[in-house]
Amino acid sequence: MFTAKRVADKKDWLSGRDHDWEIIIGLEVHAQVASKSKLFSGAATEYGAEPNTQVSLVDAAMPGMLPVVNEFCIEQAVRTGLGLNAQINLYSRFDRKNYFYPDLPQGYQISQFEFPIVGEGEIEIEPEGGEAVIVGIERLHLEQDAGKSIHDLSPDDTFVDLNRSGVCLMEIVSKPDMRSPEEASAYVEKVRGIVRALGTCDGDMEKGNLRADVNVSVRKPGGDLGTRCEIKNVNSMRFIRQAINYEARRQIDILEAGGEIDQETRLFDNAKGETRTMRSKEDAHDYRYFPDPDLLPINITQEFVDGIKANLPELPDARKARFVVDYGIPEYDARILTADKAKGDFYERLAKGRDAKIAANWMMGDLFGALNKASINLDDSPVNSDALGELLDLIGDKTISGKIAKDVFEKMFAGEGGANEIVEREGLKQVTDTGAIEKMVQDVIDANADQAAKVADNPRLVGFFVGQVMKASGGKANPQAVNEILRKKLGL
Ligand code: MN
């Protein structure tokens, strides 16, 4: 189980009234397998379908129905396990986890308890502004999702939608190796990057296809572990960080006031930014796990595992290393550009045959900035890689300056046309005609004779002249030509 092998950096400690506290975080990520049908039935899994239209008799738990394992889901679990550098168990088994829930008509969830399909593994995470950390994976097991209770359609009734019932989830359990909210969200980002690269889960947190249960406790740095609380179903990176911050603070306040932490399951209220009690572990669940008698154990062969291993796509870590070598961009850029598959694919299309560093800068700066501001996903970006490439080519062949390109980009993003089209339409082509530039330079020198006289003693004044000429040209003069002509005319 837990090994207290790492004490957090001091900067990650939370200071209390009398001393500092260290946060201990472990995560259970539920990732929905990207399969067309459910784990034990042929019903569809498509998102957003009319309620109760994707429910087989098995999913509705009609008496006498028999579950049949979806082989595709088994394969995805193995792929994911390999992506997490984890042990693949050739023998695994489905158990019944018994509990009552209105949206769980079976009265039990088919899950894996004693014998999960994937055992221990580890991944490396790189939290923003921190050092790389290895996070241990405890296990990955397969289980069914439950249905959904809907409370807000009627003041008096609760409705149940069983479309989700029986959908295949991979529960990925980490070791409690994280020590800050940033490490926790970096971990989820890394897991999401891995499953997306593998194609085993689409990682869409807004649709609930990837969500995290967050276990939080606090202790004096390096001291004994405290009692933990579990925050259920947190579904964005920001909420994960907020929930941990709030929960750690709450626990510290209780402990410093001489109280004790009750082990409990809590909910995160994203509107209020706080956690609150959902159920206490006083009524600690005894799920009465036992092997599901309707299902045979899963026996897979080493050949099956090796076959999957031989066909794994490139994973984020490998892709990052390749970007550094192939494109010569800094590790920092490579990490951001390989954080998920869509970014990496976009970058490779953009950088092909162009200046790779300029391509990286434009993606991470202007493009991501604009997407963030507009809350748009890269996949839905109004400027795709071809369109951005067209703009970069105009900078590359000096048709426009980098500065003008920023304005052009804004117009492209606002849907006002392609790069060439905007540049033509608005007459933004860079002036490279030396005669025209010479005239502008002369005009500026004439208008600033005082400064021109001082420039020999104070060469830094050249910057002032460059600025004036650029301004006079509406930003369109070629800066290099302006510089050369200015220096010549000023006798430098
Ligand atoms: Mn679970």
Side-chain angles (χ1 to χ4, degrees):
M1 276 298 288
F2 177 67
T3 42
K5 58 185 173 201
R6 189 168 72 94
V7 176
D9 288 341
K10 211 168 165 37
K11 69 169 174 53
D12 289 326
W13 295 349
L14 287 179
S15 46
R17 203 179 43 199
D18 311 318
H19 53 79
D20 292 329
W21 296 86
E22 189 184 9
I23 318 175
I24 310 290
I25 306 154
L27 290 167
E28 292 161 28
V29 169
H30 284 88
Q32 180 178 327
V33 170
S35 64
K36 292 201 162 66
S37 53
K38 296 183 179 179
L39 179 53
F40 299 116
S41 84
T45 58
E46 204 177 314
Y47 180 80
E50 282 291 298
N52 298 310
T53 55
Q54 300 182 155
V55 186
S56 77
L57 296 170
V58 172
D59 310 319
M62 290 298 152
M65 287 300 138
L66 286 174
V68 177
V69 176
N70 181 341
E71 188 182 342
F72 180 80
C73 294
I74 302 289
E75 197 182 321
Q76 304 320 302
V78 172
R79 283 165 71 79
T80 307
L82 291 170
L84 298 170
N85 308 304
Q87 167 74 36
I88 307 299
N89 295 323
L90 299 182
Y91 174 90
S92 67
R93 193 179 77 192
F94 285 106
D95 298 296
R96 288 186 181 179
K97 180 181 184 179
N98 297 280
Y99 62 100
F100 174 81
Y101 239 68
D103 47 24
L104 183 78
Q106 280 168 166
Y108 57 84
Q109 177 190 30
I110 306 177
S111 181
Q112 296 188 306
F113 183 55
E114 244 187 295
F115 299 99
I117 187 156
V118 176
E120 292 185 316
E122 60 180 36
I123 57 174
E124 189 180 87
I125 62 165
E126 291 147 319
E128 195 67 51
E131 274 175 36
V133 176
I134 301 288
V135 176
I137 303 292
E138 179 74 35
R139 59 189 273 153
L140 175 156
H141 65 257
L142 288 170
E143 61 186 27
Q144 310 171 288
D145 205 350
K148 191 170 121 194
S149 298
I150 302 161
H151 306 288
D152 54 6
L153 282 181
S154 147
D156 309 310
D157 303 300
T158 290
F159 294 83
V160 177
D161 176 8
L162 293 179
N163 280 354
R164 269 201 111 99
S165 171
V167 162
C168 180
L169 302 178
M170 300 182 282
E171 181 172 332
I172 303 164
V173 183
S174 84
K175 304 211 176 198
D177 287 349
M178 287 149 279
R179 296 291 179 272
S180 70
E182 290 70 32
E183 287 184 9
S185 62
Y187 168 81
V188 177
E189 269 176 58
K190 191 59 176 276
V191 169
R192 187 175 62 172
I194 291 170
V195 294
R196 278 185 170 167
L198 292 165
T200 55
C201 166
D202 70 14
D204 192 332
M205 296 183 85
E206 270 168 36
K207 291 180 183 164
N209 294 352
L210 191 123
R211 48 196 199 255
D213 297 343
V214 186
N215 286 287
V216 180
S217 65
V218 297
R219 68 174 178 187
K220 292 174 191 171
D224 290 338
L225 279 183
T227 304
R228 67 188 164 88
C229 289
E230 178 180 5
I231 311 158
K232 278 282 181 200
N233 281 336
V234 192
N235 67 350
S236 89
M237 303 299 174
R238 187 162 57 91
F239 294 157
I240 288 171
R241 292 191 294 270
Q242 278 180 356
I244 293 168
N245 266 320
Y246 178 90
E247 180 59 20
R249 261 298 143 210
R250 186 187 72 86
Q251 293 182 15
I252 290 169
D253 287 348
I254 293 173
L255 293 170
E256 294 202 328
E260 279 179 16
I261 305 298
D262 294 326
Q263 188 180 339
E264 60 184 5
T265 304
R266 300 177 67 84
L267 274 179
F268 179 65
D269 180 332
N270 14 346
K272 290 193 181 138
E274 43 184 65
T275 66
R276 59 166 185 270
T277 302
M278 184 175 160
R279 54 178 184 257
S280 100
K281 292 266 167 164
E282 295 303 321
D283 42 50
H285 294 285
D286 179 353
Y287 292 113
R288 310 238 165 180
Y289 280 101
F290 65 87
D292 192 308
D294 290 339
L295 289 158
L296 288 168
I298 307 292
N299 285 296
I300 53 177
T301 61
Q302 192 56 49
E303 291 75 58
F304 176 75
V305 177
D306 292 343
I308 293 172
K309 203 176 197 168
N311 290 302
L312 285 185
E314 185 179 44
L315 290 167
D317 284 350
R319 194 175 210 190
K320 187 185 85 183
R322 181 168 64 77
F323 276 20
V324 171
V325 174
D326 286 5
Y327 296 107
I329 55 173
E331 265 213 38
Y332 176 82
D333 296 16
R335 169 160 70 84
I336 292 182
L337 294 172
T338 53
D340 65 57
K341 195 173 173 320
K343 284 182 187 154
D345 292 348
F346 190 111
Y347 177 70
E348 297 216 66
R349 290 191 301 268
L350 183 65
K352 199 172 176 210
R354 301 195 175 93
D355 183 314
K357 179 58 183 154
I358 290 179
N361 289 349
W362 271 88
M363 260 188 85
M364 299 192 307
D366 298 82
L367 179 64
F368 288 174
L371 290 171
N372 254 339
K373 211 167 136 197
S375 297
I376 300 174
N377 283 323
L378 182 59
D379 288 331
D380 307 320
S381 171
V383 178
N384 65 22
S385 53
D386 286 346
L388 185 53
E390 190 182 310
L391 180 67
L392 297 197
D393 290 342
L394 291 177
I395 307 170
D397 66 15
K398 302 201 164 59
T399 304
I400 55 172
S401 66
K403 197 156 172 293
I404 293 278
K406 295 201 181 274
D407 300 335
V408 175
F409 175 79
E410 270 182 32
K411 294 189 167 133
M412 290 165 68
F413 199 83
E416 293 175 27
N420 278 306
E421 192 186 339
I422 294 168
V423 168
E424 280 298 328
R425 191 174 65 213
E426 313 207 353
L428 297 173
K429 274 194 183 154
Q430 196 159 237
V431 178
T432 45
D433 168 10
T434 38
I437 296 175
E438 270 188 42
K439 178 164 185 329
M440 284 189 272
V441 169
Q442 195 56 57
D443 290 349
V444 169
I445 291 177
D446 292 347
N448 298 280
D450 293 2
Q451 309 275 50
K454 286 185 215 152
V455 82
D457 297 328
N458 187 2
R460 281 198 307 180
L461 277 174
V462 173
F464 162 78
F465 282 99
V466 173
Q468 292 297 310
V469 176
M470 291 307 290
K471 203 170 145 194
S473 76
K476 287 187 286 183
N478 177 298
Q480 214 181 330
V482 170
N483 244 300
E484 277 168 22
I485 294 169
L486 252 173
R487 285 175 180 276
K488 204 165 63 192
K489 284 197 181 279
L490 291 169
L492 293 170

